[in-house]
């Protein structure tokens, strides 16, 4: 991803730190981000899960949820799609909340494998350690660590937890679940391989089934923005006031997203956008500006790594115009007597 591909020429790239700007400026930036991204027609809709191939290539929605509870939306923000890989971020947070930072770090890891999301090779290269909770192997191992004595109970806890992040009751898309269940030999192979290395805490087939269900939960761009804003706000959902996870778990989850949220393009993403984020193969993308808010985007055509093309272009514009890049600073005022 290069600047010219992201269409950033002419964008004010100075750092603005502190809070989000006024509502009117957010709305203007959102409209401009939408307009710029709309001209990007490249990318392919995922079809390795057959039903996803039927997605509308033109669908596009953008939403910002700020930590004060304000919502800003443009485009198809209320059309639902399957959350897919974005569920990995929130299930990871629930598992960290349940069993703690050190254990998750030890059992699943926090690094980028630099390999595709469904890589078997990555497991072999690490002697069976999943290493990255944001690709399928690590996410399946993470789901296996969810509390719940039975697979059914684990599933209930996942739906309940992700619904609290979204601030509304989420539901599964049965068609997506069926379509993926019929074709997910590779994920079942990954779970069995992890199991052969002693890396699965629960039954591998049952865990893949729960993982497939979590990926089939329906969200819209607005939900993603609110879920992101919850991680931006120390784990408190800014719409409902519900403390879903602790501030420490939010912090740890965002660190993992910064390292590995955009598959093997996470470094490029961080370089261009400078924020933790997570994408999914149905075209969803959540981005988190800590202390400020969450950004939800949905546009089905994906780049070669599986990230929404329009979602990335729009988020890059918003990161720069709203001063969100966590690495940006301006020199201190040398006249300040302190
Ligand atoms: N359910 C999808 C899979 O396991 C999620 C992939 C993704 O969004 O990256 O293949």
């Amino acid at each position: 991803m290069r600047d010219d591909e992201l269409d950033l020429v002419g964008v004010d790239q100075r750092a603005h730190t502190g809070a989000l700007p006024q509502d009117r400026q957010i709305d203007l930036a959102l409209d401009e981000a939408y307009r710029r991204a709309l001209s990007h027609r490249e990318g392919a809709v995922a079809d390795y899960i057959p039903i996803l191939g039927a997605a509308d290539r033109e669908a596009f929605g953008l939403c910002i949820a700020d930590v004060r509870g304000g919502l800003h939306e443009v485009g198809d923000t209320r059309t639902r799609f399957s959350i897919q890989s974005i569920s990995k971020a929130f299930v990871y947070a629930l598992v960290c909340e349940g069993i703690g930072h050190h254990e998750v770090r030890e059992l699943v890891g926090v690094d980028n494998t630099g390999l595709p999301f469904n890589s078997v090779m990555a497991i072999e290269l690490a002697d069976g350690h999943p290493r990255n909770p944001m690709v399928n192997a690590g996410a399946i191992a993470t789901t296996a660590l969810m509390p719940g004595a039975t697979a059914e109970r684990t599933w209930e806890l996942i739906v309940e937890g992700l619904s609290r992040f979204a601030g509304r009751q989420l539901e599964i898309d049965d068609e997506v679940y069926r379509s993926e269940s019929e074709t997910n030999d590779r994920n079942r192979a990954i779970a069995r391989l992890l199991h052969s290395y002693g890396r699965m805490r629960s039954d591998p087939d049952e865990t893949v089934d729960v993982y497939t269900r979590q990926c089939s939960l329906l969200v819209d761009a607005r939900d993603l923005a609110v879920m992101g804003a919850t991680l931006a706000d120390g784990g408190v959902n800014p719409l409902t006031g519900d403390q879903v996870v602790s501030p420490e778990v939010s912090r740890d989850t965002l660190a993992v997203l910064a390292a590995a949220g955009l598959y093997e393009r996470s470094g490029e993403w961080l370089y261009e956008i400078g924020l933790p984020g997570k994408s999914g193969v149905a075209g969803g993308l959540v981005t988190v500006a800590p202390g400020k808010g969450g950004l939800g985007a949905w546009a089905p055509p994906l780049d070669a790594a599986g990230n929404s093309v329009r979602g990335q272009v729009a988020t890059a514009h918003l990161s720069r115009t709203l001063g969100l890049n966590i690495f940006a600073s301006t020199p201190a005022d040398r006249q300040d007597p302190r």
Side-chain angles (χ1 to χ4, degrees):
M1 203 164 41
R2 298 188 310 270
D3 258 19
D4 55 339
E5 284 177 291
L6 284 170
D7 200 16
L8 289 170
V9 181
V11 172
D12 177 359
Q13 298 187 18
R14 285 171 308 174
H16 309 263
T17 49
L20 280 172
Q22 296 303 308
D23 286 349
R24 167 112 188 98
Q25 279 171 282
I26 299 177
D27 288 333
L28 285 174
L30 203 59
D31 285 345
E32 178 62 13
Y34 185 83
R35 202 188 55 74
R36 283 171 178 251
L38 211 51
S39 65
H40 284 256
R41 317 199 75 82
E42 64 273 26
V45 171
D47 58 5
Y48 75 98
I49 299 171
I51 188 105
L52 297 186
D56 176 5
R57 278 190 65 85
E58 289 308 315
F60 182 28
L62 278 180
C63 179
I64 293 179
D66 73 47
V67 293
R68 298 164 302 206
L71 288 174
H72 305 262
E73 304 178 51
V74 56
D76 305 318
T77 55
R78 305 292 175 110
T79 308
R80 293 183 183 161
F81 54 90
S82 53
I83 188 169
Q84 297 298 338
S85 243
I86 300 169
S87 66
K88 294 169 180 168
F90 297 95
V91 171
Y92 181 81
L94 296 176
V95 169
C96 287
E97 188 75 16
I99 70 173
H101 172 114
H102 293 292
E103 191 141 1
V104 183
R105 179 182 167 147
E106 178 65 26
L107 294 173
V108 188
V110 292
D111 272 315
N112 197 319
T113 51
L115 290 167
F117 70 94
N118 57 0
S119 176
V120 171
M121 181 86 77
I123 305 172
E124 290 295 346
L125 289 173
D127 286 331
H129 194 283
R131 278 182 58 201
N132 177 353
M134 294 301 129
V135 293
N136 292 9
I140 291 167
T142 303
T143 296
L145 295 171
M146 272 295 291
T150 61
E152 215 37 53
R153 181 67 192 136
T154 300
W155 167 237
E156 282 169 14
L157 291 172
I158 288 176
V159 179
E160 184 193 305
L162 267 57
S163 298
R164 287 175 66 196
F165 272 112
R168 71 171 186 89
Q169 185 62 41
L170 299 181
E171 282 166 9
I172 191 169
D173 184 325
D174 287 317
E175 251 191 304
V176 171
Y177 167 63
R178 260 199 312 277
S179 184
E180 184 163 352
S181 296
E182 283 163 11
T183 53
N184 65 354
D185 296 309
R186 197 175 176 95
N187 285 341
R188 279 182 269 154
I190 285 173
R192 289 288 180 104
L193 184 59
L194 290 171
H195 190 247
S196 77
Y197 280 109
R199 290 279 174 191
M200 287 289 288
R201 283 278 176 100
S202 308
D203 177 82
D205 293 333
E206 281 182 4
T207 305
V208 170
D209 184 58
V210 174
Y211 164 81
T212 307
R213 290 197 237 178
Q214 86 185 39
C215 289
S216 307
L217 282 170
L218 283 168
V219 290
D220 57 26
R222 173 184 179 275
D223 292 325
L224 292 182
V226 175
M227 294 171 91
T230 303
L231 289 177
D233 194 29
V236 174
N237 182 315
L239 296 192
T240 61
D242 184 10
Q243 178 93 51
V244 185
V245 291
S246 69
E248 293 76 16
V249 163
S250 298
R251 176 201 63 201
D252 295 346
T253 304
L254 295 181
V256 170
L257 297 193
L262 278 275
Y263 307 111
E264 65 274 29
R265 298 240 167 119
S266 299
E268 287 175 66
W269 159 270
L270 206 54
Y271 189 73
E272 297 296 346
I273 284 145
L275 291 167
K278 182 75 199 91
S279 58
V281 291
L285 174 61
V286 64
T287 307
V288 182
K292 295 176 182 168
L295 215 153
W298 175 55
L302 310 175
D303 67 15
N307 303 308
S308 170
V309 172
R310 284 180 172 166
Q312 290 180 84
V313 174
T315 307
H317 181 80
L318 290 167
S319 170
R320 301 209 177 173
T321 50
L322 299 178
L324 306 180
N325 190 319
I326 57 176
F327 303 111
S329 60
T330 46
D333 180 0
R334 308 284 168 215
Q335 308 309 316
D336 186 336
R338 278 180 310 160

